[in-house]
Amino acid sequence: MWRGVTLLDRRASTPGRRAVDWNPQQSGSGAGCRLVPLPRITDPRGNLTAIEGGDHVPFDVARVYWLYDVPGGESRGGHAHRELQQLIVAAAGSFDVVVDDGTETARFHLNRSYVGLYVPRMTWRELGNFSSGSVCLVLASLPYAEDDYHREHNAFLRHRRAEEAAGTSPGPGAG
């Protein structure tokens, strides 16, 4: 909850929802997420960063996609994954990623193409505050599967708490 507004209050029930507040307070350890430095080879002719699954990210990469041309004021995400893990990189420009593990909420501002944000399974994420010309690159641990998504925040919270009670989730703050 940020400034009295819950995640569910912040989004409409249809795609194309608008973010109301992209300045939530960062708290705790990052809701189980962490910044991952990526190798950067600097050269006067231009820099290079390469990402290898299992080495720079804690999973084998099964899918890669990117978001671009996001209109000003729009947000993306607004869901959690049951099993999928992600590494999110600002390949160009900048944007914010707000994450929620059911206990903690944190905001990460991504603006370097050599730093990724690791988002573990069962972590709610919303992306917003996209700069002009930004490109959000996402490396995913699994191919697309609609049944892997939690698109309703309250349903996500119920599932997360049930996993924690059953001992099948890493627990609050761990992802």
Side-chain angles (χ1 to χ4, degrees), residues 93-94 130-134:
S94 65
F130 288 88
S131 68
S132 179
S134 61

Side-chain angles (χ1 to χ4, degrees), residues 73-93:
E74 290 295 328
S75 64
R76 297 297 308 245
H79 61 265
H81 291 280
R82 296 170 193 269
E83 298 299 329
L84 180 127
Q85 304 168 72
Q86 294 180 323
L87 184 74
I88 302 173
V89 179

Side-chain angles (χ1 to χ4, degrees), residues 16-103:
R17 61 214 172 262
R18 292 198 174 270
V20 176
D21 172 17
W22 278 102
N23 293 307
Q25 301 298 314
Q26 185 163 343
S27 62
S29 64
C33 299
R34 68 180 183 277
L35 293 173
V36 176
L38 301 170
R40 180 170 56 155
I41 301 167
T42 59
D43 187 294
R45 302 168 296 162
N47 300 330
L48 182 142
T49 292
I51 303 170
E52 296 178 359
D55 187 6
H56 304 118
V57 293
F59 54 82
D60 289 328
V61 177
R63 181 168 63 119
V64 176
Y65 64 93
W66 50 98
L67 305 170
Y68 56 96
D69 295 340
V70 178
E74 290 295 328
S75 64
R76 297 297 308 245
H79 61 265
H81 291 280
R82 296 170 193 269
E83 298 299 329
L84 180 127
Q85 304 168 72
Q86 294 180 323
L87 184 74
I88 302 173
V89 179
S94 65
F95 51 88
D96 293 341
V97 182
V98 178
V99 293
D100 171 9
D101 69 358
T103 302

Side-chain angles (χ1 to χ4, degrees), residues 158-169 171-172:
R158 284 191 301 274
H159 187 177
R160 177 82 189 201
R161 290 188 181 114
E163 281 192 354
E164 290 168 5
T168 58
S169 175

